Amino acid sequence: MKIGNFTLLEEIDGGATSTVWKAYDNVLRRNVAIKIASSDLLEIGGLKSRFLREARAAASLKHPSVVDIIGSSDYEGQAFIIFELIEGAQTLQSNDIDFAANAKNFAGMCDALELAHSKRFTKENGETLQLSLVHGDIKPANILVDGDGRFKLADFGAATFRGSGQTDDNQISGGTCAYWSPRRFNFKPSSSPCDQWAMGVTMWEFFTGTHPFLEDGMNRGKLAQQVMGQPPLGDVSRLPEDLKAIISKMIEKKPSARYADFSAVSADLHNFANGRIVTARRPSVLELSQRWAKKNRVFLSLFCLSLVSITMLQFAWQQSISLGNHAQQSAQSVIDLLTVDMREKGLEKRRELLDNVKEIESHIDSGLQPSPQLYKAIAQRQIRLNDFSSAITALEKGLALNPISRIERDSLLLLLGRTYIDNKRPKEGIRILQPFIDARSATDLDLTFLVLYNYYAMAKVAIAQSTYDAVEHAKD
């Protein structure tokens, strides 16, 4: 069967007012979807003009979360709309498996509706108007899910333009009453807050599997009473608190209590999906602590490790103090014997290190091209001699060389930061080590980094102790 330039292949969906077909475009040679208005109803109540209005409204709205309208036609009195064919698409079904991913999907449709609500339209005379394109019939049946799981808003058949100064019956009675806001039940025209309400009801139904106001066998009058005066129905205990707060805010009875616009809804849904604080509710102190701990897992792990290390050292120190005098005296005789031997070997080692330093410096003085490796070698030997000031000077000379690679520079900086701390200059050490601490992630927790962080923690403790001593001195 053909209609215009299209061959109808198979029926996809059908209703009282229209039928959707999979069709083949014989001109562009591609598959499309065609929505054909019922011929028996085209002349009733301006249905034909309303039907074609969907095409004009949606065609002006280009967004990844909206089914793309290709065009419309009135072929031999048969009105139809051509739009993209989404292969394997299904209407929205309840799903609470992945809250974050689904929240982002809904955020995409909210972005599309924000675009629709703030769109500019050009009339035939060239005049540009700022009009709000209200969808008017948001519900699960009008949301398609493609093969990749992305949500797309469809069916703008009940769409209306707000701001034109005109009101038609469709603005008052159009759409599906199960998704009407209190304003719609008061027989007022559909508006942007009404779309937000309908999206909130749709999200509630999607995530919980139950409608927040409609029960089996409930008539329209009872539904109106429930919507306008009763709290939502159903069990939402499985919903995350932030997501529940977002949806609850969208279906507040008073429009002023809802989000200001769909951009605010989208922002909060992204906040929820990314683990950030949402504006719909105030988190508790415990929740804030948990969020901070999750965000700063590396720092927290290192802090706990340092705390455990300090606790163990303190315990060992206290245990050593509690040793009996007899044990100390017995050990002292052994220590005295070892000290004499170590002092002799220590002097030999010190002389050897001094000779190494002098040999390296003589090579530089005799014209040997200095390098970061040479200055690092000098600094390492001076550190072992506890000559930290000379070591700092050598490292600074190495850093002043040009050119110097990033790896060589980082190696000298790490040693310089540790040397500052050993030289009782913790503030300078922290200033140098801080960028390396900040740049590390959970995948970098190797032994080298733990040693580095130990120095960093020692410097923090030294600064804190210095501040405490200064305060105590001031008190005296």
Side-chain angles (χ1 to χ4, degrees):
M1 185 167 60
K2 294 186 65 176
I3 179 171
N5 295 321
F6 303 92
T7 301
L8 303 183
L9 302 176
E10 61 178 298
E11 184 176 331
I12 299 174
D13 190 21
T17 60
S18 62
T19 305
V20 179
W21 288 78
K22 177 180 179 180
Y24 181 73
D25 187 337
N26 295 294
V27 176
L28 299 179
R29 297 184 178 180
R30 60 177 177 177
N31 287 333
V32 295
I34 292 183
K35 183 176 183 179
I36 305 174
S38 171
S39 58
D40 295 335
L41 299 177
L42 279 177
E43 302 304 324
I44 300 178
L47 181 60
K48 185 174 182 179
S49 60
R50 169 184 165 182
F51 182 82
L52 293 176
R53 178 171 55 227
E54 175 188 353
R56 293 194 299 270
S60 65
L61 186 62
K62 300 296 182 182
H63 192 277
S65 295
V66 174
V67 175
D68 189 26
I69 298 293
I70 300 171
S72 62
S73 180
D74 184 4
Y75 179 76
E76 296 182 353
Q78 186 71 66
F80 60 94
I81 303 170
I82 310 102
F83 52 95
E84 66 171 319
L85 177 66
I86 305 175
E87 295 286 358
Q90 302 289 331
T91 56
L92 192 68
Q93 303 295 325
S94 177
N95 184 346
D96 63 354
I97 295 176
D98 191 336
F99 291 113
N102 287 324
K104 289 182 178 180
N105 262 326
F106 278 106
M109 291 191 294
C110 290
D111 290 334
L113 288 166
E114 176 62 23
L115 178 64
H117 290 174
S118 59
K119 191 149 181 69
R120 292 180 178 274
F121 296 91
T122 303
K123 297 173 66 176
E124 293 180 359
N125 61 4
E127 179 185 358
T128 300
L129 297 177
Q130 180 74 43
L131 299 175
S132 178
L133 175 60
V134 178
H135 186 283
D137 196 18
I138 297 171
K139 58 183 179 181
N142 285 339
I143 296 174
L144 299 181
V145 183
D146 67 15
D148 296 324
R150 291 173 298 199
F151 298 175
K152 286 179 174 284
L153 191 60
D155 202 343
F156 279 73
T160 56
F161 291 104
R162 297 286 291 156
S164 63
Q166 299 179 353
T167 301
D168 59 26
D169 292 339
N170 192 52
Q171 293 178 343
I172 297 175
S173 61
T176 306
C177 64
Y179 300 88
W180 279 6
S181 66
R183 173 185 174 88
R184 301 293 303 279
F185 278 107
N186 284 321
F187 302 103
K188 294 182 179 179
S190 182
S191 63
S192 300
C194 295
D195 271 358
Q196 186 180 146
W197 170 283
M199 182 62 79
V201 172
T202 298
M203 290 172 62
W204 184 293
E205 191 172 1
F206 174 80
F207 285 112
T208 67
T210 60
H211 194 284
F213 302 106
L214 183 63
E215 292 182 307
D216 291 339
M218 183 180 288
N219 59 34
R220 183 165 171 170
K222 183 64 176 177
L223 174 61
Q225 293 176 8
Q226 189 72 27
V227 167
M228 292 191 286
Q230 299 299 323
L233 304 168
D235 179 17
V236 292
S237 59
R238 292 187 302 169
L239 286 186
E241 289 297 322
D242 284 350
L243 182 59
K244 181 166 63 176
I246 291 171
I247 300 174
S248 297
K249 187 176 178 68
M250 296 172 70
I251 56 174
E252 285 283 353
K253 307 295 185 186
K254 295 182 178 180
S256 59
R258 299 173 206 155
Y259 287 96
D261 50 38
F262 267 111
S263 64
V265 180
S266 175
D268 246 5
L269 286 171
H270 280 295
N271 286 337
F272 162 73
N274 295 314
R276 298 190 294 263
I277 296 174
V278 301
T279 63
R281 63 183 287 266
R282 184 187 298 274
S284 65
V285 175
L286 177 60
E287 288 177 301
L288 289 174
S289 302
Q290 291 172 337
R291 291 173 189 269
W292 184 91
K294 185 176 181 180
K295 185 177 180 180
N296 298 276
R297 284 175 295 185
V298 176
F299 177 82
L300 188 63
S301 300
L302 294 173
F303 176 78
C304 292
L305 180 62
S306 300
L307 190 61
V308 170
S309 301
I310 293 171
T311 303
M312 292 177 64
L313 289 172
Q314 184 179 14
F315 176 77
W317 177 68
Q318 290 174 343
Q319 288 294 102
S320 66
I321 292 177
S322 65
L323 288 175
N325 291 331
H326 178 72
Q328 292 184 20
Q329 291 172 357
S330 300
Q332 188 61 47
S333 59
V334 178
I335 293 173
D336 290 342
L337 291 173
L338 290 174
T339 302
V340 175
D341 183 59
M342 290 180 67
R343 185 181 297 115
E344 293 178 356
K345 292 184 178 180
L347 289 173
E348 292 177 2
K349 190 64 177 177
R350 184 178 179 86
R351 281 195 291 269
E352 179 184 345
L353 290 171
L354 284 171
D355 290 341
N356 287 343
V357 171
K358 289 179 180 178
E359 181 181 357
I360 295 173
E361 290 177 335
S362 66
H363 283 308
I364 295 176
D365 293 338
S366 63
L368 179 67
Q369 181 67 31
S371 68
Q373 291 87 348
L374 279 175
Y375 282 117
K376 183 177 180 180
I378 293 175
Q380 287 173 330
R381 284 158 175 77
Q382 289 169 332
I383 289 171
R384 295 174 66 182
L385 294 169
N386 291 329
D387 187 1
F388 299 116
S389 296
S390 298
I392 289 173
T393 300
L395 291 170
E396 289 176 341
K397 287 181 179 179
L399 288 167
L401 294 176
N402 191 18
I404 181 172
S405 71
R406 180 177 178 180
I407 295 177
E408 292 171 334
R409 181 177 178 276
D410 288 350
S411 177
L412 293 177
L413 282 173
L414 286 170
L415 185 56
L416 180 60
R418 292 167 52 183
T419 307
Y420 269 129
I421 295 171
D422 287 333
N423 197 32
K424 303 187 184 306
R425 296 165 65 180
K427 290 184 178 179
E428 289 94 332
I430 286 179
R431 175 178 55 81
I432 292 174
L433 296 182
Q434 188 70 58
F436 295 96
I437 296 293
D438 294 340
R440 291 295 179 123
S441 66
T443 59
D444 299 322
L445 294 181
D446 53 18
L447 181 59
T448 303
F449 181 50
L450 292 178
V451 172
L452 169 65
Y453 192 81
N454 187 46
Y455 270 90
Y456 179 80
M458 288 168 52
K460 287 285 190 180
V461 171
I463 293 174
Q465 184 65 49
S466 175
T467 303
Y468 174 80
D469 292 342
V471 172
E472 289 298 313
H473 179 73
K475 290 181 180 178
D476 295 339

